[in-house]
């Protein structure tokens, strides 16, 4: 603000100049509106001893030296002036009083320039003062805005116009100030160098919306058509406000995502994209784009945009939700349990959105949950029927994944009803079918012979496991008067079970069906067949190796129970030795427990207690017929 001084420095200098030497004082610069007038204040001095009778003066334009023939603005001695100043210049001051004030009217741009005064006291007493005044012809008011205008802080804007024309006084008014505040006119003020200005002030509190607002000032002169206007744009400083940003974004895994952040501030803000405290991108700009190529679930989360400048900051967040199919489910829980225990299995996965989780076994749904990432399966008091393969399936609209897992239920052996013995021709096969977990050890006991054969005797016992079911087959060759007794025992670490295998005799059924007459005929046929087979086996035994040959059928055991009473002791002892060697796992000759004698034995047959196979079979058939 310009303050009015009671005693300007200019006049102090004039009063102090009464020292009797050459000197002049005038404003170094002065301004006036085009078409108006201007009064250039001027004072000069000369030595007191000169005491001139008349004092004259000359005003020159743009040069102080007469020899350069500068344009004469005013000359008191002759009144002869340059054509540009004819009718436009006159002296307002009294040269005798050392006042050289000059008035210029009807100002035009070509009159702008430097003005010099020359004192003429007569004779050689002439002096051109180096001091001069620069005239500036203007046509716009001067609007003064503070170097920094901050939103929310009161500001003062002034409009200043020169008021150095005594004939025309300017009047000031504000343009475009609506909503900013009411102007206050301070009036006419005098400057330090003796010039005058007209000042009007406007006080207001700017907002961010006022940034860039055009504020005008108009100077008009009453009773004339002269009007001069000037405008200034307000440069309002304010902190950032984020005005543009994505709302929540959903994107499918592998797609392209663009996140935009735009802020309004003055000056422009520093925009920064961040996630979890990590700067992803930043720049000084009004908007900033964050590009994410082929997004993954790892990029799912909250992204923050920070805008800041010297006057404050603002921040906002956006949530990026990456949609993807379920991951392969993981299964944590019991996979081995003992019968009767409670089993808890947890199946979990990760997806977006949350999946539908299902646990099933053999296409039967056991548990399911919707829009959850975990599924708990509880099986109280598990039984062998719960043993097997299970599947945990997770699915949403973007895909499906599944994981298989096995539940192993351990339990004591259970002998199934399929266990039995059956006769076919000269062979008896005993099946022991056991269900257990872990796999049991199976043993066959023949009580009549006090012999036990376990599955490790692979020459006699064939075993095959299918799931939890173990089938062991004991094969006996030969014929006997009565079905053998076979007891099957299965054992594991949870217990043991025994069962006397029921006998399903094929020969019994045959005798019952054909009757007595048919039995005699059949008996005769059997005698012929047995004789043929006996001769054939004798020949075959000569050519074949004594080692046991394995075929596609399970190994067999020729039971010692299938013997004929009254047979020669030599034959009986040899048969016992062969059977025992086989039961003890010794690698001897394969058992050939035929129920017929060799030719050499037949030659020794005429003993009291011995008889041929034919006679024995005849006796056996006779008993059957009776």
């Amino acid at each position: 603000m310009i303050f009015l001084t009671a005693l300007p420095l200019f006049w102090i200098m004039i009063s102090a100049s009464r020292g009797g030497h050459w000197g002049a004082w005038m404003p170094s610069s002065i301004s006036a509106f085009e078409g108006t007038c201007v009064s250039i204040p001027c004072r000069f001095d000369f030595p007191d001893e000169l005491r001139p009778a008349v004092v004259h003066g000359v005003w020159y334009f743009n040069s102080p030296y007469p020899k350069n023939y500068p344009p004469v603005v005013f000359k008191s001695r002759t009144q002869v002036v340059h054509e540009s100043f004819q009718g436009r210049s006159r002296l307002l001051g009294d040269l005798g009083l050392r006042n050289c004030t000059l008035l210029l009217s009807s100002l035009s741009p070509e009159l702008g320039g430097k003005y010099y005064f020359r004192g003429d006291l007569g004779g050689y007493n002439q002096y051109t003062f180096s001091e001069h005044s620069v005239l500036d012809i203007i046509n716009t008011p001067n609007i003064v805005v503070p170097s920094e205008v901050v939103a929310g802080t009161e500001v003062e804007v002034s409009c200043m116009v020169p008021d150095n024309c005594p004939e025309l006084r300017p009047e000031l008014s504000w343009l475009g100030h609506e909503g900013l505040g009411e102007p206050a006119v301070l009036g006419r003020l005098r400057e330090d160098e003796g010039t005058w200005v007209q000042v009007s002030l406007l006080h207001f509190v700017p907002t961010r919306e006022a940034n860039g607002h055009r504020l005008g000032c108009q100077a008009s002169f009453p009773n004339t058509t002269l009007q001069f206007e000037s405008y200034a744009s307000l440069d309002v400083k304010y902190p950032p406000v984020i005005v543009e940003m994505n709302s929540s974004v959903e994107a499918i895994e592998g797609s392209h995502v663009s996140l935009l952040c735009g802020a309004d501030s003055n000056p422009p803000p520093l925009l920064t994209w961040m996630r979890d405290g990590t700067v992803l991108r930043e720049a000084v700009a009004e908007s900033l784009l964050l590009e994410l190529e082929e997004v993954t679930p790892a990029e799912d989360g909250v992204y923050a945009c920070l805008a800041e400048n010297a006057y404050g900051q603002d921040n906002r967040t956006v949530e990026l939700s990456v949609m993807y199919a379920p991951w392969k489910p993981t299964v944590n829980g019991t996979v081995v349990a003992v019968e009767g225990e409670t089993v808890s299995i947890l199946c979990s996965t990760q997806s977006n959105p949350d999946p539908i989780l299902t646990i099933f076994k053999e296409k039967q749904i056991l548990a399911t949950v919707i829009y959850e990432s975990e599924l708990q399966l509880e099986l109280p008091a598990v039984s062998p029927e719960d043993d097997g393969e299970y599947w945990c399936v997770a699915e949403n609209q973007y895909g499906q994944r599944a994981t298989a897992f096995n539940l192993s239920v351990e339990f004591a052996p259970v002998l199934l009803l399929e266990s039995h013995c059956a006769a076919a021709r000269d062979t008896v096969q005993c099946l022991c079918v056991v269900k257990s977990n872990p796999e049991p050890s199976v043993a066959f006991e023949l009580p009549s012979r006090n012999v036990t054969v376990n599955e490790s005797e692979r020459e006699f016992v064939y075993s095959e496991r299918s799931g939890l079911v173990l089938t062991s087959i004991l094969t006996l060759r030969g014929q006997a008067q009565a079905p053998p007794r076979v007891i099957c025992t299965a054992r594991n670490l949870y217990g043991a079970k025994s069962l006397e295998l029921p006998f399903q005799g094929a020969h019994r059924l045959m005798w019952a069906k054909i009757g007595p007459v048919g039995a005699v005929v059949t008996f005769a046929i059997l005698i012929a067949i047995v004789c043929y087979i006996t001769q054939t086996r004798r020949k075959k035994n000569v050519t074949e190796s004594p080692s046991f040959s394995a075929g596609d059928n399970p190994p067999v055991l020729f039971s010692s129970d299938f013997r004929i009473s009254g047979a020669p002791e030599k034959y009986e002892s040899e048969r016992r030795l062969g059977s025992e060697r086989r039961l003890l796992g010794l690698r001897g000759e394969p058992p050939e427990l035929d129920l017929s004698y060799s030719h050499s034995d037949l030659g020794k047959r005429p003993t009291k207690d011995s008889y041929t196979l034919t006679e024995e079979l005849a006796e056996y058939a006779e008993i059957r017929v009776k």
Side-chain angles (χ1 to χ4, degrees), residues 91 116 125 145 252 269 301 375 390 429 448 515 541:
L91 194 66
Y116 295 88
N125 297 319
V145 180
I252 300 176
L375 174 60
Y390 291 72
Q429 283 192 334
S448 62
N541 289 337

Side-chain angles (χ1 to χ4, degrees), residues 288-500:
L288 185 63
L289 195 64
L290 179 62
E291 302 280 356
L292 300 176
E293 301 288 346
E294 297 182 355
V295 292
T296 64
E299 295 173 291
D300 187 287
V302 177
Y303 291 76
C305 176
L306 175 65
E308 57 184 337
N309 64 11
Y311 301 95
Q313 65 177 20
D314 189 21
N315 66 83
R316 284 178 59 184
T317 60
V318 58
E319 183 174 359
L320 172 61
S321 182
V322 179
M323 318 301 286
Y324 57 97
W327 291 359
K328 186 177 179 64
T330 58
V331 177
N332 297 319
T334 303
V335 292
V336 177
V338 179
E339 182 179 13
E341 290 183 346
T342 298
V343 172
S344 178
I345 298 174
L346 177 66
C347 176
S348 62
T349 185
Q350 184 175 329
S351 71
N352 192 13
D354 286 331
I356 299 175
L357 277 173
T358 305
I359 296 178
F360 65 88
K361 179 177 182 285
E362 297 176 354
K363 299 183 180 180
Q364 179 182 359
I365 295 176
L366 303 179
T368 187
V369 67
I370 299 176
Y371 305 137
E372 295 288 344
S373 60
E374 292 184 351
L375 174 60
Q376 188 88 19
L377 174 64
E378 294 284 346
L379 297 175
V382 291
S383 64
E385 287 70 25
D386 294 318
D387 189 285
E389 184 180 57
Y390 291 72
W391 285 88
C392 178
V393 180
E395 59 181 330
N396 63 13
Q397 61 264 44
Y398 300 103
Q400 181 187 82
R401 295 296 297 274
T403 296
F405 62 95
N406 289 294
L407 173 61
S408 179
V409 179
E410 297 185 342
F411 55 94
V414 177
L415 294 172
L416 302 184
L417 297 178
E418 299 94 306
S419 302
H420 68 281
C421 288
R425 295 182 182 179
D426 62 345
T427 301
V428 173
Q429 283 192 334
C430 295
L431 276 70
C432 185
V433 184
V434 185
K435 184 176 183 181
S436 94
N437 189 19
E439 182 176 345
S441 61
V442 176
F444 293 92
E445 181 183 358
L446 283 72
S448 62
R449 295 300 301 161
N450 194 24
V451 174
T452 300
V453 182
N454 57 49
E455 58 184 345
S456 63
E457 301 289 339
R458 298 190 180 276
E459 297 182 9
F460 316 113
V461 178
Y462 171 77
S463 296
E464 182 179 80
R465 185 175 178 86
S466 176
L468 299 178
V469 177
L470 176 69
T471 302
S472 291
I473 303 174
L474 173 67
T475 302
L476 304 174
R477 283 187 179 176
Q479 295 181 356
Q481 296 178 348
R485 288 183 61 216
V486 179
I487 298 174
C488 175
T489 301
R491 184 187 311 275
N492 67 8
L493 59 91
Y494 297 105
K497 283 286 185 179
S498 296
L499 175 68
E500 182 174 345

Side-chain angles (χ1 to χ4, degrees), residues 31 80 174 188 246 343 398 409 436 487 509 516 538 540 542:
S31 59
V80 176
W174 288 93
R188 190 166 182 258
N246 304 78
V343 172
Y398 300 103
V409 179
S436 94
I487 298 174
L509 296 177
R538 288 174 178 172
K540 187 175 181 180
V542 173

Side-chain angles (χ1 to χ4, degrees), residues 201-221:
L201 303 179
L202 183 65
H203 292 266
F204 61 94
V205 177
T207 62
R208 66 177 57 246
E209 291 76 17
N211 183 47
H213 181 79
R214 279 172 55 86
L215 183 63
C217 178
Q218 184 183 78
S220 59
F221 294 87

